Amino acid sequence: MVRTVRPLLCAAALLFTGCSSGDPTGANGLRVLFVGNSLTYTNDLPAMVATFAESEELAFGYKTIAFPNYALQDHWYHSDARSELSEGNWDFVVMQQGPSSLPENQESLRFWAAKFADEARLYGTEPALYMVWPADVNSATFPAVVDSYTLAADAVAGLLLPAGAAWLAAWNLDASLPLYGPDGFHPSETGTYLAALAVFAGLTGSSPVGLPSTLELPAGGLTIPASRARLLQDATASVLSGP
């Protein structure tokens, strides 16, 4: 379920938490809890999403709970994600773990996403699945990653945020795009920008086309060349519009 965000005269103050916690802002706007691992916090994807919201004059409050190598099962038992959900401050919980391409990992993603979805809905929060991507050396498993997150979102009747599919669509337009970072798994800034487009557009129902290519983030400024940004936006829009 996508909720309409009411435009305000100015965007609400945004909370930048990295892997820590704090109080959300965004009253009368959209409030999002991000639960994941380094694929969420590398290059601060939530901050990029918040900056897109600010550019659209949408109030957006968020918190990030993300730790290295965490799966949803780890968050269920070992982090404060469930405690945050119990506060009832959130419109969406955006869940992410690793690529989850192997059958046992697909099963784990569906099982723990369902546990979190049930918990979230007790407090009026809707679940969303942030689809990621495999390591470059495992690129042949990309279809399994897409299927895994799609099935998990279907299983919990949640929102699918198809960042991984947007990566594939962008490469179909330009195979030279540097979406991976140096380790061939975590995203480059361009890869995170593309993922943030998919997350923002999915959460808000807004078009990614026309979003800014220059962003002011907590760690500093980011500029994607305008022509490349438009290609990434078009790729995201094509995925979100369906076949």
Side-chain angles (χ1 to χ4, degrees):
M1 179 178 69
V2 177
R3 302 182 182 184
T4 301
V5 184
R6 185 172 65 187
L8 302 182
L9 293 179
C10 60
L14 303 176
L15 175 69
F16 302 108
T17 64
C19 300
S20 63
S21 59
D23 294 329
T25 59
N28 300 317
L30 197 64
R31 299 159 299 172
V32 180
L33 177 64
F34 291 88
V35 176
N37 56 37
S38 56
L39 296 180
T40 289
Y41 68 70
T42 296
N43 303 318
D44 206 347
L45 176 138
M48 288 197 193
V49 175
T51 302
F52 290 147
E54 185 176 25
S55 75
E56 297 289 292
E57 296 189 332
L58 306 179
F60 188 92
Y62 73 93
K63 184 178 295 184
T64 304
I65 301 176
F67 303 100
N69 300 316
Y70 259 48
L72 292 182
Q73 180 178 1
D74 300 311
H75 280 290
W76 184 264
Y77 289 117
H78 303 302
S79 82
D80 53 357
R82 293 172 67 195
S83 176
E84 280 297 335
L85 285 174
S86 71
E87 297 296 322
N89 291 327
W90 310 105
D91 295 296
F92 287 102
V93 55
V94 173
M95 298 177 281
Q96 172 265 317
Q97 62 180 33
S100 303
S101 60
L102 297 175
E104 59 270 26
N105 294 337
Q106 292 182 0
E107 181 179 354
S108 173
L109 177 61
R110 291 194 297 273
F111 179 84
W112 293 104
K115 295 275 281 186
F116 267 107
D118 289 344
E119 186 94 350
R121 286 183 169 125
L122 289 176
Y123 304 107
T125 301
E126 288 298 314
L129 273 294
Y130 163 31
M131 178 198 296
V132 289
W133 46 83
D136 191 17
V137 295
N138 297 323
S139 60
T141 67
F142 235 117
V145 176
V146 172
D147 287 346
S148 181
Y149 276 86
T150 301
L151 291 171
D154 288 344
V156 303
L159 185 65
L160 180 64
L161 307 172
W167 275 37
L168 287 176
W171 274 324
N172 283 337
L173 297 175
D174 182 354
S176 70
L177 287 169
L179 302 183
Y180 286 111
D183 68 356
F185 179 50
H186 291 89
S188 66
E189 289 182 330
T190 300
T192 300
Y193 178 89
L194 176 52
L197 290 171
V199 172
F200 173 77
L203 289 174
T204 64
S206 302
S207 172
V209 177
L211 289 172
S213 59
T214 297
L215 308 177
E216 290 300 325
L217 303 168
L222 169 66
T223 296
I224 305 294
S227 59
R228 175 173 289 178
R230 180 55 193 261
L231 182 151
L232 301 176
Q233 293 166 12
D234 288 343
T236 303
S238 70
V239 169
L240 291 169
S241 65

